[in-house]
DNA sequence: ACAGAAGCTTA
DNA sequence: GTAAGCTTCTGTT
């Protein structure tokens, strides 16, 4: 071996256990011999061999060996008799596979190395050292943490199942220590699988932290007395010997007296017929075919060979798979097996005709088969699918991209489905897994994005082909960024929302597939992994990506077939077509536009808030005489009401003292100094963390604007919701909070226009409940709360005390929220009887409202849903509950839903018409934001005066012509350079 | 790493 | 009393 050579060492023993547990069980068809692990092993080796001959991949091995454990007795047992003593016998169906895997290795023409008295890991350590001394590099094919101590400048690891390279940074990321400290870390943590004792109570996090602090294990043990935490210190002192023996156990021996040298590992090309003979014997049909193609061997000419199946060989049994804890087996069929060749697990007694019958039955009942999807790799195949979609007139599609944020996402691929079970995935930009480390690039056999879009764009824009998606807005924003305007379209999520708002199931793909198809689709996590080992979708293996993406397109199409007809059956087509579907592209454009946010203003505010909070913090510490965490309600409650003895009103269901703002305000009103400061501190820190600190992180790197995301199907009532960031809860109530709005700006030549509906929900109430006094008051443009007070308390509007108006206002809002004496009493801080009397008085003056409430409750009880005046349905499945408080809650919610939902419908109608109205008027104003009853536009300064009347007209007439309201809608609008002044 | 509670922001 | 989303803390996995 010489400089530049590269040695691959496969941890054969580790791989056997891993493949056995991670892959679905597979048996040889002819006789039921279990071969799942053998199949996984062969596929992995073949892939490594292919990569070895593909110079594009980057790493090309010149030397190659597969290393196994020999016996369960090693020198470690002399050191520590309990080592690996709790190891149980391997599973019954794994035992015959140990020998088969060694035979497979030889069939691949690869050296198969094992030495009595040593573990595979020790041999790997020894060969890695020899390679390094010879000037070569080593890649260890394993993900076992016991081997990570070997990682270094010339030694890396590679996890073939996750397609992940493990180098020094990955070790540090995963364990918090560099490879050379792994031994010390394992000495502390121990290993329950191998029965390495370690120090009780020390896990990986603590161990890494201690090693960071003390440098190494010896120093730590010598200076253990300095450890602050009592339990930890005592445990380490008491178990120092265990740590030392553990270190000996986990330290790999790198000078095993090996019998074969590196020169014996020189990699040879596989011997086609020899390998095929073995694979045929195993009945791995698809791998046989692939190997035959790649080695230009005629598989039919090769005879299957004899293999030896041992029950359990004398030594190869219990010791294999060192360090790999057993994991739960995947359900059969959740992962493509043996390259999609034989999806079924055959049992003894199965016959081909039985299998065929099973397949037919599955096809007939439309069972979803994720192994049946196609992967489109060349332009001519893509054209065939596009033609097929045109023929069908419908196509479900699903975009795969690098991010859940459509403004940041880069296209990776797209799935389309043209009929149930007929779906394909088109990969554009999948990368090789180790690309980021080696600068490797896109995988081969993908249609370049540009060429694929040239074929797909005409289909996606074809007026005669209906495109179907689940959560279409996401795809629309991405495709729009690539210059594709998808139309016409349907969105299964929105169809479900129109049919079933308020029912317990959500409207996401998984919930819908479960409910309507009785099927659980592959989860994104299943293909990308989760947590720190997750990878971007572009790193996902194309076969897995195909199963995942094509399945989603297939499921979407099937859902559409089930759900779309239900709209007509329930009379909800017009709700879907007039209130939901047309809003999707409108919101997509608003999100794409974003709004300009001034970083400097936020940064300045952040500084001011930090100063104010710091000052208050000091004052609070002075008052309580201790530096507690003020942000912890638990600590705060204990100090305030426990140690300091302030009168507290206990509560919260977890038995903690309540420290709510309301309660602290009350205490402040009684003259206590501390609660006031806490309330103020909370306000400042809230503004800082939620707004001034968080918002700049949402400024898009390219557009320099903030792009919120609107959810169309998140609320029960029909309102939108906003997230990432939520721009529907930007502060407005306090002067301090309003400063945040000054950061939402335009440039000098533009203006923000804010237009908001005045009292829209009360107007809806006056209309639907037919209340003459309220209708009149709104028609006159009068002060609605003052009129209410005047009616109730028989006082003239002129010179009315503000307290009287305040109470009437609270009652008006209470009605909208489905009033209760309890709630009103809380709001006004008055006794419950008094609140009850107000409500009684109110109903006497406005009997129509009592009727409206009773009517709504009766309707909801009878039908299980209520409707807005535009026919939107909101379900209340618990309205008939025998639990009185649950029932009452549903009653209040249903009363509110008719009003809130109708108001939501009205502004939706305005938004849907707005763009065309502005365009017709020749105005350049663009809608940016919606905040439930308010729309924010951006326009050139010169057009402000012309824009406002157009906006107002559209908004005020939004209910027409579907509904002619008996109460006028009123819109206030103004313009300024920032949102604070425009509002 | 995640989930729930508490608290706070909006309409 | 209705409808949301985000942050921090806390305890569990």
């Amino acid at each position: 071996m010489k400089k530049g050579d590269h040695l691959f060492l496969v941890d054969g023993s580790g791989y056997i256990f891993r493949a056995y547990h991670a892959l679905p069980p597979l048996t040889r068809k002819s006789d039921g011999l279990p071969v799942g692990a053998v199949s996984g092993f062969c596929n992995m080796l073949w892939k490594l061999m292919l990569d070895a001959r593909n110079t594009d991949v980057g790493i090309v091995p010149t030397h190659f060996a597969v290393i196994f454990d020999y016996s369960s007795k090693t020198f470690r047992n002399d050191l520590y008799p309990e080592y690996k003593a709790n190891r149980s016998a391997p599973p019954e169906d794994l035992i015959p596979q140990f020998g088969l895997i060694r035979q497979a290795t030889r069939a691949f023409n690869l050296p198969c190395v094992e030495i009595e008295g040593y573990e595979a890991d020790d041999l790997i350590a020894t060969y890695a050292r020899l390679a390094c001394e010879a000037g070569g590099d080593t890649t260890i094919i394993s993900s076992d943490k016991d081997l990570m101590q070997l990682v270094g400048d010339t030694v890396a690891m590679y996890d073939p199942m996750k397609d992940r390279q493990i180098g020094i940074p990955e070790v540090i990321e995963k364990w918090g220590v560099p490879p050379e400290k792994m031994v010390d870390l394992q000495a502390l943590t121990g290993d329950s699988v191998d029965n390495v004792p370690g120090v009780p109570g020390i896990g990986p996090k603590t161990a890494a932290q201690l090693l960071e602090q003390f440098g190494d294990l010896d120093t730590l043990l010598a200076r253990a007395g300095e450890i602050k935490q009592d339990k930890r210190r005592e445990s380490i002192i008491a178990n120092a010997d265990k740590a030392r023996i553990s270190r000996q156990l986990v330290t790999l021996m790198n000078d095993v007296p090996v019998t074969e040298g590196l020169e014996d590992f020189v990699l040879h090309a596989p011997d086609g017929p020899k390998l095929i003979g073995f694979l045929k014997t195993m009945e791995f049909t698809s791998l046989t075919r692939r190997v035959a193609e790649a080695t230009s061997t005629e598989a039919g000419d090769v005879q299957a060979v004899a293999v030896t199946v041992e029950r359990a060989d004398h030594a190869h049994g219990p010791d294999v798979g060192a360090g790999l804890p057993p994991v739960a087996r995947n359900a059969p069929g959740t992962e493509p097996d043996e390259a999609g060749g034989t999806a079924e697990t055959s049992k003894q007694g199965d016959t081909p005709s039985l299998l065929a019958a099973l397949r037919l039955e599955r096809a007939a009942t439309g069972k979803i088969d994720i192994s049946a999807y196609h992967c489109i790799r060349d332009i001519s195949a893509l054209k065939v699918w596009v033609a097929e979609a045109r023929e069908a007139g419908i196509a479900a599609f699903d975009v795969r991209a690098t991010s859940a944020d459509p403004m940041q996402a880069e296209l990776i691929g797209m799935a389309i489905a043209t009929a149930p079970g007929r779906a394909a995935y088109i990969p554009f930009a999948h990368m090789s897994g180790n690309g980021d480390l080696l600068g490797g690039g896109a995988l081969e056999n993908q249609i370049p994005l540009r060429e694929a879009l040239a074929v797909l764009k005409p289909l996606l824009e074809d007026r005669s082909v209906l495109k179907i998606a689940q959560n279409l807005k996401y795809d629309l924003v991405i495709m729009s960024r690539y210059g594709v305007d998808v139309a016409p379209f349907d969105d299964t999520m929105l169809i479900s929302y129109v049919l079933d708002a308020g029912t317990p199931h959500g409207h996401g793909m998984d919930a819908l597939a479960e409910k309507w198809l009785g099927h659980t689709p592959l989860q994104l996590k299943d293909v990308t992994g989760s947590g720190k080992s997750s990878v971007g979708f572009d790193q996902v293996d194309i076969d897995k990506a195909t199963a995942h993406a094509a399945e989603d397109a297939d499921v979407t199409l099937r859902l559409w077939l089930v759900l779309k007809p239900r709209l007509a059956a329930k009379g909800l087509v017009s709700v879907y077509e007039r209130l939901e579907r047309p809003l999707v592209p409108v919101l997509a454009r608003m999100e794409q536009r974003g709004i300009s946010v001034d970083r400097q203003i936020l940064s300045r505010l952040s500084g001011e808030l930090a100063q104010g909070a710091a000052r208050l913090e000091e004052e609070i510490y002075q008052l309580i005489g201790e530096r507690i965490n003020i942000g912890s309600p638990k600590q705060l409650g204990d100090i305030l009401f426990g140690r300091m003895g302030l009168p507290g009103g206990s509560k919260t269901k977890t038995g903690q003292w309540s420290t709510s703002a309301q309660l602290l305000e009350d205490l402040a009103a009684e003259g206590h100094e501390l609660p006031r400061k806490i309330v103020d501190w909370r306000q400042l820190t809230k503004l800082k963390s939620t707004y001034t600190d968080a918002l700049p992180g949402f400024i898009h790197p390219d557009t320099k604007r903030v792009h919120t995301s609107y959810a169309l199907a998140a609320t029960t009532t029909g309102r939108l919701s906003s997230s990432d960031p939520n721009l529907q809860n930007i502060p407005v109530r306090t002067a301090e909070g309003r400063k945040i709005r000054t950061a939402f700006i335009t440039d000098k030549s533009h203006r923000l226009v804010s237009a908001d509906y005045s009292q829209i929900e009360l107007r809806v109430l006056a209309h639907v409940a037919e209340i003459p006094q309220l209708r009149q008051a709104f028609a006159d443009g009068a002060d609605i709360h003052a009129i209410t007070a005047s009616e109730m308390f028989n006082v003239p509007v002129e010179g009315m005390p503000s307290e009287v108006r305040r109470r009437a206002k609270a009652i008006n809002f209470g009605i909208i929220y489905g009033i209760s004496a309890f709630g009103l009493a809380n709001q006004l801080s008055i006794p419950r009887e008094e609140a009850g009397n107000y409500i009684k008085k109110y109903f006497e003056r406005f009997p129509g409202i009592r009727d409206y409430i009773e009517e709504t409750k009766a309707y909801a009880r009878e039908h299980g849903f209520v409707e807005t005046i535009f026919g939107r349905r909101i379900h209340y499945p618990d309205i008939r509950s025998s639990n009185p408080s649950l029932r009452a809650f549903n009653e209040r919610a249903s009363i509110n839903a008719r009003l809130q939902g109708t108001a939501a419908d009205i502004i939706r109608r305005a938004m849907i018409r707005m763009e065309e109205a502005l365009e017709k008027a020749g105005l350049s104003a663009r809608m940016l934001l919606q905040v439930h009853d308010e729309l924010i536009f951006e326009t050139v300064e010169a057009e402000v005066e012309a824009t406002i009347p157009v906006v107002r007209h559209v908004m005020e007439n939004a209910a027409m012509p579907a509904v002619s309201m008996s109460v006028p809608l009123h819109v206030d609008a103004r313009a300024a350079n920032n949102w604070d002044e425009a509002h």
Side-chain angles (χ1 to χ4, degrees), chain A residues 73 85-86 144 154 280 309 453 461 481 529 532 580 667 676 702 721 767 803 881 979:
Chain A
K73 276 264 177 276
N86 58 3
D144 194 333
T154 64
K280 278 186 107 170
V309 179
L453 284 184
E461 297 184 345
R481 289 176 41 234
K532 42 193 159 191
E580 298 289 341
L667 289 172
R676 169 90 270 138
D702 303 330
S721 78
H767 168 78
E803 178 59 23
S881 170
W979 192 3

Side-chain angles (χ1 to χ4, degrees), chain A residues 593-642:
Chain A
R593 277 176 210 126
I595 187 166
S596 190
V597 171
D598 190 321
R599 238 181 238 282
Q600 259 100 52
I601 293 179
L602 290 176
S603 151
R604 188 167 45 72
L605 282 173
S606 216
E608 290 172 17
L609 292 167
Q611 279 198 320
R615 211 182 53 233
L616 282 166
E617 237 160 79
E618 283 310 319
E619 293 172 10
I620 290 166
Y621 292 149
Q622 284 290 310
L623 284 169
I624 63 181
E626 197 182 337
R627 300 179 85 81
I628 63 160
N629 182 351
I630 308 170
S632 161
K634 187 172 178 289
Q635 293 183 34
L636 197 59
D638 289 345
I639 295 287
L640 284 179
F641 307 114

Side-chain angles (χ1 to χ4, degrees), chain A residues 5 146 332 366 376 390 518 555 614 627 682 835 843 950 959:
Chain A
D5 281 355
D146 297 344
I376 303 177
R390 282 220 166 83
V555 166
R627 300 179 85 81
R682 278 190 185 159
F843 285 153
V950 173

Side-chain angles (χ1 to χ4, degrees), chain A residues 930-982:
Chain A
Q930 189 250 41
V931 191
H932 308 307
D933 64 357
E934 176 187 15
L935 294 174
I936 315 293
F937 301 80
E938 186 172 42
T939 187
V940 293
E941 187 195 0
E943 291 180 12
V944 164
E945 293 311 312
T947 299
I948 287 177
V950 173
V951 166
R952 174 174 282 138
H953 183 265
V954 171
M955 289 175 75
E956 291 185 343
N957 294 285
M960 298 279 276
V963 173
S964 178
M965 289 182 65
S966 57
V967 173
L969 294 177
H970 184 262
V971 168
D972 294 310
R974 52 200 294 207
N977 255 323
N978 67 66
W979 192 3
D980 180 35
E981 288 169 47

Side-chain angles (χ1 to χ4, degrees), chain A residues 590 710 719-720 722 726-730 741 755-756 907 911 929-936 979 983:
Chain A
M590 289 168 67
Y710 288 106
R719 274 191 178 178
L720 305 180
S722 156
N726 180 356
L727 295 185
Q728 291 181 322
N729 72 345
I730 302 302
R741 293 196 170 214
D756 66 291
I907 197 166
M911 293 170 75
L929 304 177
Q930 189 250 41
V931 191
H932 308 307
D933 64 357
E934 176 187 15
L935 294 174
I936 315 293
W979 192 3
H983 183 74

Side-chain angles (χ1 to χ4, degrees), chain A residues 583 586-587 589-591 593-594 907-908 910-915 918 924-930 934-938:
Chain A
L583 197 55
V586 174
L587 291 175
R589 286 187 284 270
M590 289 168 67
E591 291 181 9
R593 277 176 210 126
I907 197 166
R908 278 173 179 245
M911 293 170 75
I912 289 162
R913 294 177 190 175
M914 191 62 74
E915 294 177 327
L918 289 167
S924 61
R926 294 287 178 261
M927 211 169 4
L928 304 186
L929 304 177
Q930 189 250 41
E934 176 187 15
L935 294 174
I936 315 293
F937 301 80
E938 186 172 42

Side-chain angles (χ1 to χ4, degrees), chain A residues 704-716:
Chain A
K704 312 289 182 201
R705 289 162 77 98
V706 171
H707 306 264
T708 185
S709 174
Y710 288 106
L712 270 153
T715 70
T716 48

